[in-house]
Amino acid sequence: MIEVRGVSKLFGSLAALTNVGFEVTEGMVFGIAGPNGAGKSTLFNVIAGVYSASSGKIIFDGHDITHLKPHKICRLGMARTFQVPQTFASLSVLDNIKVGVAFGYNSHGNAGQKVINETIDFLDLRSSQEIKAANLDLYTTKLVGLGAALAT
């Protein structure tokens, strides 16, 4: 599903990543571990297109995504979530999921509504769908962020 080949990321003269490589196949559970400052977040940001790789190649589902912007990578089926959940606090759970659909598909009507319903049911958020994100506990807030990413 994803191949990271010799990826490096420089910020000026600081090498945040140097020659990182790995492959993750469909169904595989894969983790990235390391101490603070090791480059884990930088790696995820390079893979997701938030930062551009200084060198190397990233292949996702057969597509070279090395220098694509996040919205183009998202349209290929990859979305990034964050350690600290980022939701629209003034919007309901349902509306946060709708934002994910709008970002990923720019779809309206039945197709978009189907994705919204499937996402809410998959994450068991139906009973919380009208609650404003600002009023959620941390666990549910993380689920809403995940739901918005999945809905894309």
Side-chain angles (χ1 to χ4, degrees):
M1 290 215 52
I2 190 162
E3 296 175 56
V4 175
R5 300 180 192 156
V7 168
S8 296
K9 176 61 183 169
L10 301 174
F11 293 101
S13 62
L14 173 68
L17 301 173
T18 305
N19 199 29
V20 176
F22 59 87
E23 183 174 343
V24 179
T25 59
E26 188 171 350
M28 176 186 247
V29 176
F30 185 84
I32 303 289
N36 289 343
K40 301 177 299 292
S41 293
T42 300
L43 176 62
F44 283 110
N45 283 328
V46 168
I47 292 170
V50 176
Y51 300 147
S52 185
S54 300
S55 63
K57 196 171 275 270
I58 303 165
I59 308 297
F60 173 65
D61 199 25
H63 302 275
D64 184 347
I65 63 168
T66 308
H67 297 290
L68 292 183
K69 297 293 183 192
H71 69 280
K72 293 192 178 200
I73 294 171
C74 183
R75 290 206 169 95
L76 293 173
M78 181 192 310
R80 184 188 185 325
T81 62
F82 296 86
Q83 185 174 353
V84 176
Q86 298 180 355
T87 58
F88 294 96
S90 64
L91 298 180
S92 68
V93 168
L94 178 64
D95 287 341
N96 269 278
I97 304 297
K98 285 181 181 179
V99 169
V101 169
F103 181 76
Y105 290 105
N106 197 17
S107 175
H108 303 286
N110 292 339
Q113 191 59 50
K114 181 177 186 244
V115 171
I116 292 163
N117 286 330
E118 288 173 350
T119 302
I120 285 177
D121 289 340
F122 177 73
L123 296 173
D124 198 24
L125 291 170
R126 184 70 58 198
S127 63
S128 303
Q129 69 180 356
E130 296 305 324
I131 298 173
K132 299 277 187 224
N135 298 324
L136 298 172
D137 58 55
L138 181 60
Y139 173 76
T140 308
T141 302
K142 285 187 177 245
L143 282 180
V144 172
L146 178 61
L150 287 171
T152 62

